[in-house]
Amino acid sequence: MRRQPNGSSRAQASGSWKLLRMVLMVAVVIFALSRFLTLAPRVHARRNGVKSAAGVGSAHVSSGEAVRLDQIQINEDQGHKRSQDPSQDRPHTGSLSGGDVKEDIEEDSTLDGLEYADPGEHPKVALMFLTKAAIHNELIWRSFLEGAAKLKLKKPAVKTQPIDLEKVVGGPLHPSVPGLDETRYPGYKIQHGLVPPSKYRSTSYPHVKKRRLLAMEKGTSSSKNGTGGKGDSLGCPSERELLAAESDRLLNTPFYGPDVYRNQDLFSIYVHAQPGYTFPEDSLFSGLQVADPVNCTNGFALHTLVLAEFKLLAQALKDPRNQKFVLLSEACVPVHPPEVVYAQAIYESKSRIHACVTRDPGRLELWRWKAKMETSHLNQQHWRKSQQWFVLNRAHAELVVEDHHVKEVFKRYCWSYGKHICVSDEHYIPTLLASYNLDDQTDCLGTGTWTDWSQQGWHPGTFTKDNVTTGLFERILNGAWPPCDPVLARRSALELFDFENTGGGSAELSQECMETGNDGKPIDRKFTGSGTAASDDWVSRGGYIPLGYECPLFARKFSENALEHTVNATLSCVGGSQAPWCRESLLASLPNIGGS
């Protein structure tokens, strides 16, 4: 017969279980407390970094943005980071009629205590041109700046704050690495022909051969065969007379460029051209060249181009009003009117450059990394790749200029000669940001400037007069995912400005152009939301409904022989919408924006 436990034994067992539960609860509490003490400094540093990198909105960044930075996960298909809760990242899509946005501004007490800039002290966007000589699309930038001159901010902007780099990076900068005599750098020797010519040509590298074979299998690039879009380069049929007259004015009417530049106060311009080149006195870019330019002759795939970028950034940073820094080439054109480019650039807190982790080693091109580049502050895990044409916030721009550790490493070891390839302008800035753990302060896309890489070669496709159409611009503006809504952004951007309406009775005509494409069919501009970073700055609160980071602000490469076609495409309301009648139409339609 089994012996039954007596009451004393049962009580003893029950006490043991209670003691065990208490021990487990104490262990859980100790573990949770240790995790909190470990993570709290990281969250605090990250929030400080976000606030410092936010540019104009750095004085008032919501804690919601800092929290979302901890929710980012890697998207294996796209190779960039996405928010786990996209609904939190979607910009306001409500109606601008009925004063919804204005009422929100008046009722939101979080704006109390913000320091506003004095009149005429609002932030600016620095447009930095890296070119060999003349900028052949100058007339398009003339039209762009003429439009900017008609824009006056309705309300004062939030005052910008000085950047504290140690707060941005969470500590001191990497220690400086002493430089060498200029003639000792391999890049200098390669550029100036001080080494034997390489028997290898860029087209002979296996990875380049593979790219070209893939391109041949897929067919020719859209920039070659003119499949940029349906229709001709003159926009929608009902605005062709207006386009012809405005295009003739830009192409054939003399103008004094310095006055065009001085008449606006939203954009600063800086130009790095080859030593010895000077723009004509009446050029838009006259007097805007950086001093002591770098000789970039034979500098392709060398660190030389990055040195030229340093010159531009250093010059632009001298103006404390410059809060965003855009690198452009002579072949770049804007794909939005100035009010959108300005509002979008100032609104965004992140830099438009791809400095994020990806699980696709092919995209990073890890084979370009050299073991000699490793230091106690830089290793292969920091290796990143992005396109050269960036949009940086001020904190990141200052870091690029002030860091002398990663800069020197790249100058010594990142160059292209023979079988060794390291394209510094694609890797340097994103790798620098990653070495300071600033990955999540970039857009993980680098799509500020749209380019056509369908040829799979060393250079993107170049668009000629045979394939520059407003249809091409429709593809640029509406080809992203999530989809962009350029019309909504253009309408809402005008909420920020008092705009000089010149009249002309063209509002109804241009509205028709915005609703139909070159083929006469309605344009599908259904907006499904985007991953634009949330911000509490004055731009979004002033009524601007932003684009996502997927939506480009500029495009390239537009050739010199396509100038007339490119002028028409950028002017058209279904293209770049630079023409004055496009704004008039948008102003007339503002009460109906909620139904767009």
Side-chain angles (χ1 to χ4, degrees):
M1 179 180 293
R2 295 184 61 183
R3 185 175 179 180
Q4 298 295 327
N6 56 29
S8 175
S9 299
R10 286 196 298 268
Q12 193 174 21
S14 176
S16 299
W17 280 111
K18 289 181 179 179
L19 179 62
L20 180 59
R21 284 198 297 269
M22 289 179 64
V23 171
L24 289 174
M25 290 176 63
V26 170
V28 169
V29 171
I30 292 174
F31 175 77
L33 183 60
S34 66
R35 289 291 293 169
F36 172 78
L37 292 176
T38 302
L39 294 177
R42 297 181 186 177
V43 173
H44 178 71
R46 179 171 291 183
R47 288 180 178 174
N48 284 339
V50 171
K51 291 180 181 180
S52 300
V56 174
S58 61
H60 186 75
V61 179
S62 68
S63 60
E65 181 171 359
V67 172
R68 273 193 295 280
L69 292 176
D70 290 330
Q71 297 175 345
I72 293 177
Q73 63 181 7
I74 296 177
N75 185 321
E76 297 184 24
D77 295 331
Q78 298 296 330
H80 60 268
K81 298 177 182 177
R82 292 288 187 196
S83 169
Q84 291 182 347
D85 186 3
S87 63
Q88 294 183 12
D89 283 344
R90 292 178 183 174
H92 176 78
T93 55
S95 169
L96 290 186
S97 61
D100 292 345
V101 175
K102 294 180 180 178
E103 289 176 6
D104 289 342
I105 296 173
E106 294 171 357
E107 294 176 3
D108 195 337
S109 60
T110 59
L111 284 180
D112 294 341
L114 285 182
E115 189 177 359
Y116 288 90
D118 295 330
E121 293 299 319
H122 53 268
K124 300 173 73 173
V125 176
L127 304 177
M128 307 181 304
F129 290 86
L130 181 57
T131 180
K132 294 180 180 178
I135 298 176
H136 58 260
N137 288 315
E138 178 174 344
L139 294 180
I140 293 168
W141 292 105
R142 170 195 175 185
S143 175
F144 182 84
L145 294 180
E146 285 176 345
K150 298 178 181 179
L151 302 170
K152 306 298 178 185
L153 287 169
K154 290 181 179 179
K155 296 181 179 180
V158 173
K159 188 175 182 178
T160 58
Q161 303 298 325
I163 300 296
D164 185 340
L165 278 183
E166 290 197 359
K167 285 187 176 181
V168 174
V169 303
L173 300 186
H174 303 331
S176 297
V177 177
L180 306 174
D181 180 79
E182 196 68 25
T183 58
R184 292 182 58 191
Y185 289 103
Y188 180 91
K189 296 177 181 179
I190 297 168
Q191 181 184 6
H192 292 85
L194 302 179
V195 293
S198 172
K199 64 180 179 179
Y200 294 96
R201 296 174 58 85
S202 62
T203 52
S204 68
Y205 297 117
H207 62 284
V208 177
K209 284 184 176 180
K210 183 177 179 181
R211 288 177 178 178
R212 293 193 178 278
L213 287 173
L214 289 172
M216 291 174 64
E217 291 175 3
K218 293 179 180 178
T220 333
S221 164
S222 61
S223 55
K224 289 279 187 180
N225 60 21
T227 57
K230 297 180 180 180
D232 57 53
S233 60
L234 292 177
C236 68
S238 53
E239 67 171 346
R240 287 181 181 172
E241 290 186 8
L242 290 167
L243 277 175
E246 181 66 6
S247 177
D248 181 70
R249 181 187 74 85
L250 291 172
L251 292 167
N252 299 315
T253 303
F255 71 102
Y256 187 66
D259 284 346
V260 174
Y261 174 61
R262 286 192 291 264
N263 287 339
Q264 58 83 40
D265 196 35
L266 299 179
F267 301 93
S268 304
I269 291 181
Y270 305 88
V271 182
H272 184 287
Q274 281 289 83
Y277 180 81
T278 303
F279 286 89
E281 290 185 0
D282 59 351
S283 169
L284 181 67
F285 304 104
S286 176
L288 302 179
Q289 294 175 245
V290 299
D292 190 25
V294 178
N295 182 5
C296 295
T297 304
N298 301 322
F300 175 72
L302 298 175
H303 194 67
T304 308
L305 296 179
V306 176
L307 298 179
E309 294 173 12
F310 291 155
K311 293 277 187 179
L312 287 165
L313 285 169
Q315 185 67 26
L317 283 167
K318 292 180 180 179
D319 186 347
R321 291 178 60 191
N322 289 332
Q323 293 298 309
K324 293 298 170 70
F325 302 81
V326 185
L327 185 66
L328 302 163
S329 76
E330 73 277 3
C332 288
V333 299
V335 296
H336 291 285
E339 58 267 23
V340 173
V341 173
Y342 178 83
Q344 184 69 30
I346 295 298
Y347 167 81
E348 293 175 348
S349 61
K350 298 182 179 182
S351 289
R352 285 191 177 227
I353 194 167
H354 196 329
C356 300
V357 177
T358 174
R359 294 182 180 179
D360 177 12
R363 204 208 71 79
L364 291 177
E365 301 199 74
L366 289 171
W367 54 272
R368 293 179 174 180
W369 168 267
K370 293 183 70 175
K372 291 181 179 180
M373 301 176 74
E374 184 164 344
T375 71
S376 57
H377 300 276
L378 179 68
N379 57 61
Q380 192 179 35
Q381 293 182 351
H382 298 134
W383 190 249
R384 303 288 190 271
K385 180 185 177 184
S386 185
Q387 73 159 333
Q388 176 185 7
W389 314 104
F390 55 71
V391 181
L392 297 181
N393 62 39
R394 188 173 181 95
H396 295 167
E398 289 191 11
L399 180 60
V400 170
V401 172
E402 294 297 327
D403 174 86
H404 295 284
H405 184 95
V406 180
K407 181 185 302 182
E408 180 64 23
V409 170
F410 267 75
K411 194 173 181 181
R412 291 187 185 188
Y413 302 115
C414 190
W415 38 264
S416 300
Y417 177 74
K419 290 185 176 181
H420 174 78
I421 299 295
C422 183
V423 185
S424 192
D425 55 10
E426 293 180 350
H427 295 283
Y428 169 68
I429 295 181
T431 300
L432 169 71
L433 296 175
S435 75
Y436 283 97
N437 297 317
L438 300 179
D439 318 39
D440 56 8
Q441 292 183 17
T442 69
D443 69 348
C444 306
L445 293 168
T447 53
T449 296
W450 183 92
T451 52
D452 176 17
W453 285 102
S454 58
Q455 292 184 81
Q456 302 290 323
W458 278 106
H459 301 282
T462 298
F463 295 101
T464 67
K465 63 181 180 180
D466 296 327
N467 42 58
V468 175
T469 70
T470 49
L472 170 63
F473 273 67
E474 287 178 30
R475 182 161 70 91
I476 295 171
L477 293 168
N478 298 285
W481 185 262
C484 308
D485 192 337
V487 173
L488 187 60
R490 291 167 183 175
R491 284 172 174 166
S492 60
L494 291 176
E495 287 282 297
L496 298 172
F497 301 96
D498 287 320
F499 177 70
E500 179 186 344
N501 192 334
T502 58
S506 57
E508 182 177 349
L509 176 144
S510 56
Q511 180 64 23
E512 176 189 346
C513 290
M514 293 175 186
E515 301 302 333
T516 60
N518 292 310
D519 54 4
K521 297 179 180 179
I523 299 175
D524 181 13
R525 299 195 188 278
K526 184 179 179 181
F527 180 62
T528 59
S530 63
T532 301
S535 173
D536 287 338
D537 64 8
W538 57 276
V539 177
S540 58
R541 292 183 176 275
Y544 176 59
I545 301 176
L547 298 163
Y549 284 109
E550 300 84 2
C551 307
L553 303 179
F554 309 92
R556 66 188 301 266
K557 301 169 58 177
F558 290 85
S559 64
E560 185 173 5
N561 79 341
L563 178 60
E564 183 175 353
H565 293 71
T566 309
V567 166
N568 283 317
T570 54
L571 286 173
S572 172
C573 298
V574 293
S577 198
Q578 305 284 350
W581 58 85
C582 300
R583 293 190 186 92
E584 293 167 18
S585 171
L586 292 173
L587 287 170
S589 65
L590 276 177
N592 299 319
I593 191 171
S596 296

